[in-house]
């Protein structure tokens, strides 16, 4: 490899998720992995020459400040843990520690939580939310350098770092179009959430850019769980003109989608192409392995820390909101059809029958 290996490179070689690599290499307490999984991760890291930053490259002075990383949730999904690891590794490279605090209940914590950190040698705050959403920042975040992670202030008084959900939705849909699919459905997340809204917007933009009409019948609203993917797929298959591809707005709904397609005797991707979103660990073990997009929370954590260092150094950020690209991971659930649109029509006829 000509460039410096990343944690994602280690995850790909070891055949595990980026979260697993982070937890194994950090020796995080309370995690349960088999000896075989741990060995695969360490072997992949060794082969690639990947080295996890565990301490500053030079001794940090006694007055070095710390970053307070405050999140509204850590255990429900791996995303915030990944964001914290990205922030921690980036900060450690500069000799700065990161302290983690969890705000229970999903609401913005009381100002006293922030004020407690301000009594010590604080460099600044990173405040993150498990769901991409608007927040109302409390007063302490305006008193020291602060960055919002996976959330934003509508007035843009504070800089924020978010996943590129709109571009990700567009990339997923365009990948299906390049595969020759012409009737593409989407099983989306819950209505009203930012991620659902933006992934649907990206889907619609891709259709419009390729002169394909938007059909409301091909939109199913779910709840991010496998059952929603199963139920949505069954409804699509009952249509007079069923789709020839399904974009699932997260990988868990793709699990349910796979099950419904297999019950119907349909092959993936020959009869129905499927693409997911998030790159959960299960995606690579589905059969066929699921083509999906990475939810880049590790990179978001790194970017938030870089922004915070700029603010602490009195450098004005070039952008008050950064969108981090969701990388497309090609696996086996989408293929290019040799006969183009004709193949798509034939697959649709088979499904209808």
């Amino acid at each position: 490899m000509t460039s410096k290996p990343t944690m994602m490179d280690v995850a790909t070689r070891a055949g595990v998720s980026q979260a697993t690599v982070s937890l194994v290499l950090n020796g995080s307490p309370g995690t349960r992995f088999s000896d075989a999984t741990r060995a695969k991760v360490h072997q992949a890291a060794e082969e690639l020459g990947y080295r996890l930053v565990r301490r500053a490259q030079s001794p940090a002075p006694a007055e070095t400040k710390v970053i307070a990383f405050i999140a509204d949730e850590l255990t429900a999904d791996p995303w915030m843990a990944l964001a914290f690891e990205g922030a921690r590794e980036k900060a450690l490279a500069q000799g700065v520690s990161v302290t983690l605090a969890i705000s229970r209940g999903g609401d913005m914590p009381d100002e006293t939580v922030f004020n407690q950190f301000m009594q010590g040698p604080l460099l600044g705050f990173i405040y993150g939310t498990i769901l991409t959403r608007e927040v109302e920042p409390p007063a302490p975040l305006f008193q020291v350098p602060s960055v919002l992670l996976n959330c934003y202030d509508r007035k843009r008084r504070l800089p924020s770092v978010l996943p590129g959900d709109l571009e990700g939705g567009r990339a997923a849909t365009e990948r299906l179009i390049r595969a020759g699919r012409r009737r593409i459905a989407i099983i989306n997340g819950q209505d009203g959430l930012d991620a659902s809204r933006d992934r649907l917007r990206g889907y619609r933009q891709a259709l419009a850019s390729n002169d394909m009409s938007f059909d409301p019948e091909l939109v199913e609203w779910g709840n991010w769980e496998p059952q929603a993917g199963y139920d949505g797929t069954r409804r699509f298959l009952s249509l007079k003109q069923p789709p020839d591809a399904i974009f699932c707005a997260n990988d868990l709904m793709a699990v349910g989608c796979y099950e419904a397609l297999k019950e119907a005797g349909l092959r993936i991707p020959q009869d129905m192409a499927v693409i997911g979103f998030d790159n959960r660990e299960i995606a690579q073990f589905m059969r066929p392995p699921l083509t999906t997009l990475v939810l880049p929370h590790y990179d978001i954590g790194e970017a938030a820390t870089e922004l915070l260092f700029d603010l602490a150094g009195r450098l004005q950020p070039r952008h008050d909101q950064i969108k981090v690209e969701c990388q497309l991971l090609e696996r086996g659930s989408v293929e290019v059809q040799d006969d183009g649109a004709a193949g798509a029509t034939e697959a649709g006829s088979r499904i209808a029958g």
Side-chain angles (χ1 to χ4, degrees), residues 78-159:
W79 315 131
M80 203 49 55
L82 276 174
F84 172 71
E85 291 295 347
R88 190 178 72 93
E89 227 182 306
K90 179 63 69 173
L92 282 174
Q94 301 298 321
V96 175
S97 300
V98 183
T99 300
L100 175 66
I102 308 299
S103 168
R104 302 297 179 187
D107 296 325
M108 180 68 72
D110 187 88
E111 288 189 14
T112 56
V113 175
F114 296 96
N115 290 333
Q116 288 172 0
F117 283 105
M118 294 174 69
Q119 303 306 313
L122 181 69
L123 185 145
F125 289 110
I126 296 176
Y127 178 73
T129 57
I130 193 68
L131 293 176
T132 307
R133 61 185 176 93
E134 179 185 352
V135 296
E136 180 59 36
L141 291 184
F142 296 102
Q143 297 171 16
V144 297
S146 299
V147 176
L148 301 177
L149 185 151
N150 202 40
C151 56
Y152 58 93
D153 166 27
R154 185 172 293 277
K155 298 177 183 177
R156 298 204 175 189
R157 294 166 293 178
L158 293 176

Side-chain angles (χ1 to χ4, degrees), residues 55 69-70 90 106 139 160 198 216 226 233 259-260 293:
R55 58 181 64 86
F69 188 111
I70 302 178
K90 179 63 69 173
S160 57
D198 287 348
T233 301
E259 186 64 25
L293 286 98

Side-chain angles (χ1 to χ4, degrees), residues 86-313:
R88 190 178 72 93
E89 227 182 306
K90 179 63 69 173
L92 282 174
Q94 301 298 321
V96 175
S97 300
V98 183
T99 300
L100 175 66
I102 308 299
S103 168
R104 302 297 179 187
D107 296 325
M108 180 68 72
D110 187 88
E111 288 189 14
T112 56
V113 175
F114 296 96
N115 290 333
Q116 288 172 0
F117 283 105
M118 294 174 69
Q119 303 306 313
L122 181 69
L123 185 145
F125 289 110
I126 296 176
Y127 178 73
T129 57
I130 193 68
L131 293 176
T132 307
R133 61 185 176 93
E134 179 185 352
V135 296
E136 180 59 36
L141 291 184
F142 296 102
Q143 297 171 16
V144 297
S146 299
V147 176
L148 301 177
L149 185 151
N150 202 40
C151 56
Y152 58 93
D153 166 27
R154 185 172 293 277
K155 298 177 183 177
R156 298 204 175 189
R157 294 166 293 178
L158 293 176
S160 57
V161 187
L162 306 165
D165 283 310
L166 188 150
E167 287 302 320
R170 180 166 183 153
T173 308
E174 288 182 338
R175 176 64 186 92
L176 294 169
I177 293 172
R178 291 198 306 273
R181 309 296 169 149
R182 293 296 175 266
R183 189 160 167 79
I184 300 169
I186 178 173
I187 302 176
N188 207 359
Q190 290 159 301
D191 193 5
L193 296 182
D194 285 52
S196 304
R197 177 200 65 203
D198 287 348
R199 292 175 196 184
L200 179 63
R201 286 174 59 195
Y203 162 83
R204 296 191 65 163
Q205 284 184 10
L207 294 179
S209 297
N210 288 274
D211 296 321
M212 297 171 65
S213 59
F214 172 73
D215 184 350
E217 271 200 332
L218 296 180
V219 178
E220 181 73 19
W221 293 96
N223 62 359
W224 309 112
E225 298 298 329
Q227 187 65 48
Y230 178 84
D231 293 340
T233 301
R234 284 180 60 88
R235 186 184 72 78
F236 289 147
L237 297 181
S238 70
L239 295 175
K240 184 176 180 180
Q241 290 185 296
D244 56 10
I246 299 176
F247 166 30
C248 296
N250 81 335
D251 295 342
L252 289 182
M253 292 192 295
V255 171
C257 173
Y258 266 46
E259 186 64 25
L261 292 174
K262 290 175 181 178
E263 281 187 5
L266 299 175
R267 301 168 299 166
I268 306 168
Q270 293 90 337
D271 302 321
M272 184 78 74
V274 180
I275 195 166
F277 208 113
D278 287 352
N279 189 38
R280 284 180 177 266
E281 188 164 356
I282 193 174
Q284 61 192 308
F285 299 113
M286 296 166 68
R287 293 292 178 266
L290 180 67
T291 295
T292 187
L293 286 98
V294 176
L295 195 57
H297 275 63
Y298 184 91
D299 297 329
I300 289 174
E302 287 191 320
T305 303
E306 290 179 356
L307 262 179
L308 194 61
F309 281 139
D310 286 346
L311 292 172

